[in-house]
Amino acid sequence: MKKICLYFEIHQIIHLKRYRFFDIGRDHYYYDDYENERSINYIAERSYVPALQTLIQMCKDHPEFKVAFSLSGCGLEQLEFHAPQVVDLLQEINSTGQVEFLCEPYSHGLASLANEESFAAEVKRMSDRIKELFGKRPKVFRNSSLIYNDEIGAQVAAMGFKGILTEGAKQVLGWKSPHYLYHCASDPRLKLLLRDINLSEDITERFTSHPIMADQWLDWIASTPEGEDIINIFGELVTFGIFHPLQSGILEFLKAIPVLAKERGIGFALPSELCSEKSVGAIEVPYNISWVDEERDTSCWLGNVMQREAFNKLYSVADRVRVCGDRRIQMDWDCLQASNNFRFMTTKPGYQYRGIYDSPYDAFTNYMNILGDFISRVNNLYGGADNEEIDGLITMIKNQGDELANKDKEIERLRKKLEKYEAPAAAEKQAPAPKAPAKKAPAKKAPAKKAAPAAKTASAPKAAEVKKEPAKKAPAEKAPAKKATPKKK
């Protein structure tokens, strides 16, 4: 049976304000509050609210329908502050039991390409936040913009996730189909769900320019070769209302999918359900892939010298930020990591939206001014210590953390070993319980013992002839008494 895995991303761009060189050291607030509030309310009203209301009704009307979401931590913070009704709708759809929330980096940034410890810390924070909001810890991971390579896969598997979403890029798949379940080449425990680019972008990219009907789209799914049963449709929730206006009929298209899918024998599945199945083999991804641009790589964030300079400068203080414990520094760190900051600097053709910036050079200059002030604040937390001293301190803290992690693993190993030794003892304690019926045997002998004195005291009751048979056994039991008479001689 063919199954559609439907997933939508929820992330909100955090807009930085105009920040000049002369503001460095004087102004430590970097955000355009007006634009952030305006944009989140605009998107919530025209996209998130109507789309979520539609999906909630679809879950209620069609018990077989299932859908997955992921949220960035920065986007979630803005929703809670400016548009809490969206969070309420997410909790309502979660209550249907037909929804799964995936985990992603808290900042929606590029830490997975720069600093393993910062990446792990972000993932843990977001996992804890999902557990707090929706009552269940995520089992499947989704990196920012589906960025993936074999090394990232190994890190994600080590964090305990059973699967990851990524792009079904042609340069990775070759002749293979994205309609199968694969696993990570570096760690077979991690399953890979690959996006079907054409079927996904029929909705997310081309719906307005090349309109299609829901029955036609589902016919394409039904016509896929036999055995290709996993159809991964991944996109952004802003597809409904922002990328394509509601007047285009895109929500009506969405509503029709469950009904028409049922007619064609097509079902729905959550990512964690698919990741519980057996994979058909490994997919090797030695270099970075993503779901952005025709190249499906990371060139839109790190494709030119300006982007790489800003990226390297930012993550040069990653370890210091991670161990500093300053809440304000951490909040600014999350916002400065957001991938859109680097995307505004791209010089690739086709990018028209750059926020407040007139050009990629304008975006680079503004970001580097803010970054200069931020790095100065981070260094001031360490009392003017030189870089070697700070790096030594960070290395010591990291080594201590690794030592504690190893001790935790050793404790867990010993605990499991102790359970193995305690299991036989527990079984012995429970063993007498089934032997309880055997204790009834002495109860049968009790009347026999009473029969002997009864025979001595009773004068001549012949009515108990049946009891004479136990009386005959009594002399056999007194056989040792006969041996006692020779001793008297």
Side-chain angles (χ1 to χ4, degrees):
M1 180 181 181
K2 297 187 185 299
K3 299 176 183 177
I4 298 175
C5 180
L6 200 60
Y7 155 80
F8 297 112
E9 171 203 71
I10 300 176
H11 169 63
Q12 180 61 29
I13 292 176
I14 296 178
H15 297 274
L16 303 177
K17 69 178 183 181
R18 281 288 179 183
Y19 195 90
R20 301 179 180 180
F21 176 81
F22 299 102
D23 294 326
I24 298 175
R26 301 172 57 187
D27 183 3
H28 304 316
Y29 191 78
Y30 312 134
Y31 313 106
D32 188 338
D33 290 335
Y34 172 80
E35 182 59 25
N36 285 324
E37 182 177 1
R38 186 205 65 79
S39 61
I40 190 66
N41 285 323
Y42 179 86
I43 293 173
E45 179 183 349
R46 287 166 174 76
S47 175
Y48 291 159
V49 170
L52 287 173
Q53 288 174 341
T54 299
L55 289 167
I56 290 170
Q57 192 59 47
M58 291 168 66
C59 289
K60 292 178 179 179
D61 295 342
H62 308 283
E64 74 281 1
F65 178 73
K66 298 175 182 179
V67 62
F69 298 95
S70 75
L71 299 92
S72 68
C74 294
L76 181 59
E77 289 176 0
Q78 290 198 73
L79 289 172
E80 289 177 322
F81 189 75
H82 296 297
Q85 70 273 22
V86 176
V87 181
D88 293 339
L89 289 172
L90 288 170
Q91 291 176 330
E92 182 179 350
I93 195 172
N94 180 58
S95 66
T96 64
Q98 298 163 236
V99 173
E100 180 176 2
F101 286 92
L102 313 185
C103 188
E104 70 168 68
Y106 195 93
S107 66
H108 196 79
L110 307 175
S112 59
L113 303 176
N115 190 290
E116 184 176 344
E117 290 78 15
S118 294
F119 176 55
E122 282 199 58
V123 172
K124 185 179 184 306
R125 286 172 62 205
M126 196 65 234
S127 179
D128 293 342
R129 195 76 178 90
I130 294 294
K131 176 70 167 59
E132 177 188 351
L133 269 178
F134 305 110
K136 193 173 182 181
R137 193 169 294 280
K139 298 178 181 178
V140 178
F141 184 75
R142 179 262 185 199
N143 202 6
S144 308
S145 301
L146 302 189
I147 294 173
Y148 178 80
N149 60 40
D150 289 336
E151 292 183 4
I152 293 174
Q155 294 175 38
V156 172
M159 296 177 200
F161 291 98
K162 61 192 294 186
I164 187 171
L165 276 57
T166 189
E167 182 76 337
K170 295 178 182 178
Q171 66 264 36
V172 170
L173 283 172
W175 57 268
K176 297 178 182 178
S177 168
H179 301 153
Y180 292 99
L181 181 68
Y182 300 95
H183 65 254
C184 173
S186 299
D187 195 323
R189 296 175 299 172
L190 187 75
K191 305 296 176 57
L192 303 183
L193 292 174
L194 306 180
R195 184 175 83 129
D196 186 303
I197 298 175
N198 291 329
L199 290 172
S200 296
E201 294 188 350
D202 282 335
I203 302 173
T204 61
E205 302 288 339
R206 297 184 290 270
F207 187 83
T208 303
S209 58
H210 298 82
I212 57 173
M213 303 299 289
D215 55 353
Q216 179 186 10
W217 186 74
L218 285 162
D219 284 340
W220 292 340
I221 293 177
S223 64
T224 54
E226 184 178 353
E228 298 188 11
D229 295 335
I230 299 177
I231 314 297
N232 296 311
I233 307 299
F234 305 158
E236 300 179 55
L237 194 60
V238 290
T239 297
F240 308 100
I242 301 299
F243 294 169
H244 306 294
L246 299 182
Q247 298 90 324
S248 66
I250 193 165
L251 286 183
E252 285 69 24
F253 175 92
L254 184 63
K255 290 177 188 177
I257 289 176
V259 177
L260 298 174
K262 189 174 183 179
E263 292 176 358
R264 290 159 176 77
I266 300 173
F268 296 87
L270 297 173
S272 60
E273 294 173 345
L274 295 176
C275 291
S276 299
E277 299 179 4
K278 186 177 180 180
S279 71
V280 298
I283 288 287
E284 294 186 2
V285 188
Y287 39 79
N288 302 327
I289 60 172
S290 76
W291 70 357
V292 177
D293 294 344
E294 186 64 27
E295 295 85 356
R296 314 292 173 184
D297 58 13
T298 57
S299 59
C300 70
W301 302 289
L302 302 173
N304 62 46
V305 176
M306 295 185 295
Q307 292 170 312
R308 292 191 291 272
E309 172 66 19
F311 176 82
N312 293 332
K313 192 74 172 177
L314 174 68
Y315 284 101
S316 67
V317 294
D319 293 328
R320 303 180 193 185
V321 172
R322 192 179 68 257
V323 302
C324 74
D326 187 287
R327 185 176 178 182
R328 179 65 185 276
I329 290 289
Q330 185 64 60
M331 185 194 77
D332 292 338
W333 171 251
D334 292 336
C335 297
L336 292 176
Q337 283 190 93
S339 60
N340 57 276
N341 292 316
F342 302 96
R343 194 168 183 176
F344 289 153
M345 303 177 198
T346 185
T347 52
K348 295 176 70 173
Y351 284 90
Q352 298 178 353
Y353 180 73
R354 299 184 186 277
I356 64 172
Y357 308 116
D358 299 327
S359 68
Y361 311 102
D362 186 23
F364 173 75
T365 302
N366 198 73
Y367 184 80
M368 292 303 286
N369 288 340
I370 293 174
L371 191 56
D373 182 77
F374 176 76
I375 291 176
S376 177
R377 289 166 56 206
V378 172
N379 291 335
N380 289 339
L381 292 175
Y382 293 88
D386 58 25
N387 290 337
E388 291 184 3
E389 186 177 352
I390 294 173
D391 292 340
L393 176 63
I394 292 171
T395 302
M396 182 181 68
I397 294 172
K398 181 180 182 299
N399 292 339
Q400 289 177 346
D402 293 341
E403 186 177 350
L404 290 173
N406 291 333
K407 287 182 177 179
D408 289 340
K409 292 179 181 178
E410 181 66 14
I411 290 171
E412 182 65 18
R413 185 186 68 81
L414 294 174
R415 185 185 65 79
K416 292 180 179 179
K417 191 174 182 180
L418 182 62
E419 288 177 354
K420 290 181 180 179
Y421 284 115
E422 290 178 346
E428 289 178 4
K429 290 180 180 179
Q430 295 177 357
K435 291 182 181 180
K439 293 182 180 179
K440 293 180 181 180
K444 292 180 181 178
K445 292 180 181 179
K449 292 180 181 178
K450 290 180 181 179
K456 292 177 183 178
T457 56
S459 56
K462 294 183 179 180
E465 290 181 358
V466 182
K467 293 184 179 179
K468 288 181 181 180
E469 292 180 3
K472 290 179 181 179
K473 293 181 181 178
E477 294 177 358
K478 292 182 179 180
K482 293 180 180 179
K483 293 181 181 179
T485 51
K487 288 182 182 180
K488 286 181 182 181
K489 295 178 181 180

